[in-house]
Amino acid sequence: MIKLSPSILSADFVRLDREIKQMEDNGIKYLHVDVMDGMFVPNISIGMPVIKSIRKCTDLVLDVHLMIEKPERYIDEFIKLGCDIINFHIEATDKHREIIEKVKNAGKKVGMTIKPKTSYEEILPYIKDLDLVLVMGVEPGFGGQKLIEDSLLKTKALREYITEHNLSCELEIDGGVKIDNVKRVVEAGANVIVVGSDLFEREDRKDIIERYNKVFEEVI
Ligand code: DX5
Ligand code: ZN
């Protein structure tokens, strides 16, 4: 099933409860939460206290994207906070197996993420143990950037691998997705679609979510 995972990085943080409620009211199931440390990426976003508050106000699947160096330092805390999917970057650690095991043993879902310059093949040794693979469509750090076309080729190659090996992991794409390129994104094989600016910077969220869902229905 193809679904949106709205990225709250572009939401109004003062009105986050209303922003989230609006997503729920429009049938959204996943919520993408970007955590940045100013080291792994040249930006700082939100961390534990905000996730704690979000968790209290929604039952949406919290799809947390850790853009932090050495994520193994904080995995226990993100598990405790009630994150449902914990995505960490392959480039940020050398403790891949340890993180995967820890997240899965806690009954949470684990995702591994690759930056635009990282080959999709680097993820293959781990893919059987992952619940999700997250392909960056832009250099991580900021919303509102343009989709890097090569990400679609990676998405396609990963989808082929997943199908060929009969794996159940989800394939997510994050960054640069807009209503006018999302058809190509889902045709490439992504089934979890992160959208930040193209959703939260619009007045009529109901309308834009419906337009995305229409594209998803057409592609199936
Ligand atoms: C970028 C973040 C994205 C970002 C996507 O580092 O990981 O989740 O919010 O934003 P848009 O959809 O505006 O490219
Ligand atoms: Zn993200």
Side-chain angles (χ1 to χ4, degrees), residues 4 19-29 199 204-210 213:
L4 281 174
E19 299 275 54
I20 293 171
K21 178 80 173 49
Q22 201 174 35
M23 295 300 113
E24 291 173 351
D25 291 346
N26 285 293
I28 292 294
K29 305 283 181 232
L199 205 165
D204 194 342
R205 275 74 183 278
K206 185 177 189 294
D207 174 67
I208 188 68
I209 290 169
E210 274 173 10
N213 285 334

Side-chain angles (χ1 to χ4, degrees), residues 32 34 65 67 174:
H32 188 83
D34 289 307
H65 176 195
M67 284 164 272
D174 179 14

Side-chain angles (χ1 to χ4, degrees), residues 2-103:
I2 303 169
K3 51 195 159 265
L4 281 174
S5 188
S7 169
I8 57 157
L9 190 62
S10 294
D12 182 348
F13 284 99
V14 174
R15 299 179 173 79
L16 209 44
D17 55 346
R18 274 196 266 161
E19 299 275 54
I20 293 171
K21 178 80 173 49
Q22 201 174 35
M23 295 300 113
E24 291 173 351
D25 291 346
N26 285 293
I28 292 294
K29 305 283 181 232
Y30 279 26
L31 196 67
H32 188 83
V33 182
D34 289 307
V35 178
M36 303 179 187
D37 67 352
M39 291 293 287
F40 183 72
V41 289
N43 196 7
I44 300 175
S45 58
I46 56 156
M48 284 84 170
V50 178
I51 295 181
K52 194 174 174 192
S53 299
I54 294 173
R55 181 71 295 170
K56 273 192 253 170
C57 89
T58 185
D59 288 329
L60 288 177
V61 173
L62 292 189
D63 167 32
V64 176
H65 176 195
L66 300 180
M67 284 164 272
I68 61 177
E69 283 292 350
K70 297 195 181 1
E72 60 272 18
R73 294 173 297 158
Y74 296 107
I75 294 296
D76 285 329
E77 288 183 63
F78 286 104
I79 289 170
K80 268 191 232 139
L81 284 167
C83 304
D84 299 292
I85 306 172
I86 298 179
N87 297 291
F88 68 98
H89 271 265
I90 194 168
E91 307 88 354
T93 182
D94 54 9
K95 303 270 190 296
H96 307 96
R97 297 276 174 207
E98 186 187 301
I99 296 172
I100 292 170
E101 211 167 296
K102 192 173 258 189
V103 176

Side-chain angles (χ1 to χ4, degrees), residues 155-166:
T155 304
K156 220 171 179 175
L158 281 162
R159 174 53 69 199
E160 276 165 20
Y161 189 94
I162 290 168
T163 308
E164 206 174 297
H165 293 80
N166 212 11

